[in-house]
């Protein structure tokens, strides 16, 4: 009897508000069975604020993507933010489904309108009534608060729909701010970039910007080593490398700092000779024919909108090469380095130490044929003949020099023949 009186008292006692009424009903429904854990209202508000913060950051990155100024890091960050927001929306949807379709269907009436007859079906005689403030009652409080929160707080989806769109002016301001931050980061990462962009007015047309950038390469004290180096290494303070290093550096600064797109790198893959003259950097002399011409294994330059930017020679003229016929050098024991290149203009290019020389192909073939004819008779003295031929190539010999050598070889041949006959 005492137990029933206690139950009647709790059932009939007026509650101060709907939350307390729902808390009591939930407490009776759960009994000694512990309810599942639910997020408190404070945590929900914190997550809501975090979602709005992520959404604002994602909006900035989407604007950068729209204007083509987003970095690879920014694109990766945007993907992460979108994934996080989708997961948050899905969790919110599941949370609403878990509670909104069950406890929210309980009719909430004023406490004075809830009669004992209406509450009686909820009372089970075998239930144990816990003490006020125990863990089950606290759990019921959290469930009730979550239900009321679901009914009164708009969902994240509705909040997203109500987010004000950025005006065109705000988008422009935001894009300009992002561009300034991107350029500042670029200059901090690449110390030599400050020299390359110095004095360039960014409001100029793209063509004028590229022309000034092109000229600024004369100020970096580049050391031409004929060995390709990373363009990023150059920008970080080591200005050395080859034509490919320079062309790629030009492309990177133009695209990533000034935002000028569609710059391509073109090249000649075969060895060739060029009349390019000295390089603008420290007056580097050509490496062929005693400083008269250049001989390259390949050559690179930048192109934008059909215009050539040959950064090695600071020239906007497309090179007219004398390309070699072979991708790989031919081999001959007559050459100082035992290799040579036959060009398309009837010449032979051969290396000697760090330089190259040329000779007419007709002279070169004449010597080869002559040596072949004498090789059987002059096997004992062939090394000395090769030495003389190499010395002529080293000096860049002409037709007169080779004719003199031929006469010397003929005399030597006659001497050897006479000695053989006398024996």
């Amino acid at each position: 009897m005492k137990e029933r009186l206690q139950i009647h008292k709790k059932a009939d006692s007026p509650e101060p508000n709907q939350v307390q009424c729902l808390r009591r009903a939930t407490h009776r429904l759960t009994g000694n069975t512990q309810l599942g854990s639910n997020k408190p209202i404070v945590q929900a508000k914190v997550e809501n604020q975090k979602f709005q913060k992520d959404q604002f950051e994602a909006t900035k990155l989407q604007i950068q993507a729209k204007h083509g100024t987003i970095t690879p890091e920014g694109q990766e960050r945007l993907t992460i933010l979108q994934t996080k927001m989708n997961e948050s929306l899905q969790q919110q949807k599941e949370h609403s489904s878990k509670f909104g379709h069950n406890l929210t269907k309980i009719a909430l009436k004023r406490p004075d309108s809830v009669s004992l007859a209406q509450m009686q079906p909820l009372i089970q005689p075998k239930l144990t009534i816990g003490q006020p403030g125990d863990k089950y009652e606290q759990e019921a409080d959290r469930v009730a608060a979550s239900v009321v929160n679901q009914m009164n707080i708009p969902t994240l989806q509705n909040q997203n729909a109500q987010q004000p769109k950025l005006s065109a002016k705000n988008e422009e301001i935001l894009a300009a701010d992002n561009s300034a931050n991107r350029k500042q980061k670029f200059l901090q990462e690449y110390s030599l970039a400050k020299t390359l962009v110095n004095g360039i007015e960014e409001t100029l047309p793209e063509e004028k910007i590229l022309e000034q950038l092109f000229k600024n390469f004369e100020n970096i004290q580049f050391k031409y080593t004929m060995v390709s180096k990373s363009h990023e290494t150059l920008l970080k303070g080591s200005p050395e490398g080859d034509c490919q290093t320079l062309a790629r550096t030009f492309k990177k600064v133009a695209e990533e700092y000034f935002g000028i797109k569609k710059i391509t790198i073109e090249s000649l893959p075969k060895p060739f000779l060029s009349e390019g003259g000295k390089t603008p950097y420290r007056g580097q002399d050509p490496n062929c024919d005693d400083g008269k011409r250049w001989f390259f294994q390949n050559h690179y330059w930048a192109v934008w909108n059909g215009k050539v930017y040959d950064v090695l020679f600071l020239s906007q003229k497309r090179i007219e090469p004398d390309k070699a016929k072979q991708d790989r050098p031919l081999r001959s024991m007559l050459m100082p380095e035992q290799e040579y290149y036959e060009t398309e203009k009837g010449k032979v290019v051969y290396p000697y130490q760090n330089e190259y020389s040329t000779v007419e192909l007709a002279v070169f073939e004449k010597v080869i044929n002559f040596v072949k004819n004498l090789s059987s008779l002059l096997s004992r003295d062939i090394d000395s003949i090769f030495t003389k031929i190499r010395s002529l190539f080293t000096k860049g010999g002409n037709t007169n020099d080779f004719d003199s050598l031929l006469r010397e070889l003929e005399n030597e041949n006659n001497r050897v023949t006479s000695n053989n006959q006398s024996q």
Side-chain angles (χ1 to χ4, degrees):
M1 182 64 180
K2 183 178 180 180
E3 180 178 306
R4 290 184 59 83
L5 288 175
Q6 185 178 355
I7 295 173
H8 282 216
K9 182 177 181 181
K10 286 191 175 183
D12 295 336
S13 60
E15 298 288 340
N17 52 42
Q18 292 181 344
V19 175
Q20 293 181 2
C21 179
L22 183 58
R23 173 176 58 79
R24 294 301 183 188
T26 307
H27 183 53
R28 293 188 177 91
L29 282 172
T30 56
N32 288 332
T33 304
Q34 185 177 1
L35 292 175
S37 175
N38 293 276
K39 295 179 181 178
I41 186 171
V42 175
Q43 184 177 352
K45 289 183 178 180
V46 171
E47 292 188 358
N48 183 34
Q49 292 174 356
K50 186 177 180 181
F51 181 90
Q52 292 180 353
K53 182 180 178 181
D54 290 344
Q55 186 186 43
F56 181 75
E57 184 181 356
T59 301
K60 292 172 62 177
L61 293 172
Q62 287 172 343
I63 292 174
Q64 294 179 16
K66 177 180 178 182
H67 291 277
T69 60
I70 191 169
T71 63
E73 293 81 5
Q75 184 63 54
E76 182 178 357
R77 176 62 178 165
L78 177 58
T79 302
I80 293 174
L81 289 173
Q82 290 174 337
T83 302
K84 287 175 59 179
M85 291 190 293
N86 289 337
E87 290 177 352
S88 179
L89 291 174
Q90 183 63 28
Q91 291 175 0
Q92 181 70 13
K93 182 178 179 181
E94 293 175 356
H95 190 68
S96 300
S97 175
K98 182 175 181 181
F99 297 108
H101 296 300
N102 296 312
L103 294 179
T104 53
K105 292 184 178 180
I106 298 176
L108 298 178
K109 299 182 180 181
R110 295 185 59 81
D112 55 2
S113 65
V114 181
S115 64
L116 178 60
Q118 292 172 319
M119 295 297 295
Q120 191 65 30
L122 299 176
I123 302 173
Q124 299 295 332
K126 294 183 180 180
L127 293 178
T128 300
I129 307 302
Q131 296 298 321
D134 63 10
K135 61 181 181 179
Y136 301 113
E137 186 166 341
Q138 292 175 6
E139 190 67 29
D141 289 342
R142 287 194 293 270
V143 174
S146 178
V147 172
V148 174
N149 184 48
Q150 292 296 327
M151 293 186 295
N152 295 329
I153 298 179
T155 62
L156 290 175
Q157 292 92 331
N158 293 334
Q159 291 177 355
N160 292 341
Q162 295 172 2
Q163 287 289 338
K165 294 184 177 180
L166 294 175
S167 65
K169 183 177 181 180
N170 288 338
E171 280 194 11
E172 183 178 350
I173 294 174
L174 185 58
D177 183 59
N178 291 334
S179 176
N181 292 337
R182 172 175 50 81
K183 291 177 179 178
Q184 184 64 28
K185 182 179 178 181
F186 189 89
L187 295 179
Q188 291 175 352
E189 184 175 2
Y190 302 113
S191 59
L192 205 59
K194 296 178 182 178
T195 303
L196 292 173
V197 304
N198 183 44
I200 300 179
E201 178 57 52
E202 299 179 23
T203 59
L204 292 173
E206 292 183 340
E207 181 179 356
K208 297 295 183 182
I209 291 176
L210 291 180
E211 287 180 2
Q212 293 190 24
L213 172 62
F214 190 54
K215 293 178 181 178
N216 280 354
F217 272 85
E218 191 172 1
N219 303 324
I220 63 173
Q221 296 299 309
F222 181 78
K223 182 179 180 181
Y224 180 55
T225 63
M226 296 189 70
V227 178
S228 182
K229 300 288 184 180
S230 168
H231 56 284
E232 293 185 345
T233 301
L234 184 153
L235 285 170
K236 289 180 179 179
S238 298
E240 65 177 25
D242 65 350
C243 51
Q244 181 176 202
T245 307
L246 291 168
R248 290 181 175 176
T249 302
F250 179 83
K251 174 181 172 70
K252 185 175 183 67
V253 177
E255 290 186 343
E256 296 190 18
Y257 186 85
F258 293 106
I260 301 176
K261 305 299 182 181
K262 298 182 179 180
I263 295 177
T264 59
I265 303 296
E266 295 184 1
S267 66
L268 283 171
K270 290 186 177 183
F272 68 94
L273 294 158
S274 170
E275 303 288 347
K278 294 183 178 182
T279 65
Y281 318 100
R282 302 180 182 179
Q284 181 74 35
D285 290 327
N287 64 340
C288 186
D289 292 342
D290 295 326
K292 297 178 182 179
R293 308 172 76 190
W294 286 101
F295 179 77
F296 298 101
Q297 301 289 339
N298 46 47
H299 187 56
Y300 294 81
W301 61 90
V303 175
W304 177 81
N305 199 24
K307 295 185 178 181
V308 173
Y309 297 88
D310 190 336
V311 195
L312 177 62
F313 298 115
L314 287 184
S315 170
Q316 291 191 277
K317 294 181 179 180
R318 197 177 298 272
I319 285 182
E320 298 179 0
D322 177 7
K323 295 188 295 183
K325 294 182 179 180
Q326 292 83 20
D327 291 330
R328 297 181 179 180
L330 302 175
R331 298 287 176 177
S332 171
M333 59 190 306
L334 295 176
M335 295 292 101
E337 305 293 339
Q338 295 190 358
E339 64 179 23
Y340 67 95
Y341 299 86
E342 180 184 347
T343 74
E344 294 179 343
K345 294 184 178 180
K347 292 184 178 182
V348 170
V349 182
Y350 56 93
Y352 178 68
Q353 296 180 352
N354 295 325
E355 295 186 355
Y356 293 84
S357 296
T358 60
V359 66
E360 294 294 332
L361 179 60
V363 175
F364 179 72
E365 290 178 340
K366 184 185 295 186
V367 172
I368 291 178
N369 293 331
F370 182 78
V371 171
K372 286 181 179 180
N373 293 331
L374 292 178
S375 60
S376 60
L377 298 175
L378 304 175
S379 58
R380 293 178 303 172
D381 299 322
I382 195 68
D383 290 337
S384 62
I385 295 174
F386 285 157
T387 300
K388 293 179 180 180
I389 294 176
R390 289 192 185 99
S391 66
L392 290 178
F393 277 117
T394 301
K395 297 177 182 178
N398 52 42
T399 301
N400 293 332
D401 293 330
F402 279 100
D403 289 341
S404 176
L405 175 61
L406 292 177
R407 286 193 296 270
E408 182 179 345
L409 293 176
E410 288 176 355
N411 293 333
E412 182 68 16
N413 182 43
N414 293 332
R415 183 184 67 77
V416 173
T417 303
S418 298
N419 290 339
N420 291 337
Q421 290 176 352
S422 63
Q423 294 176 358

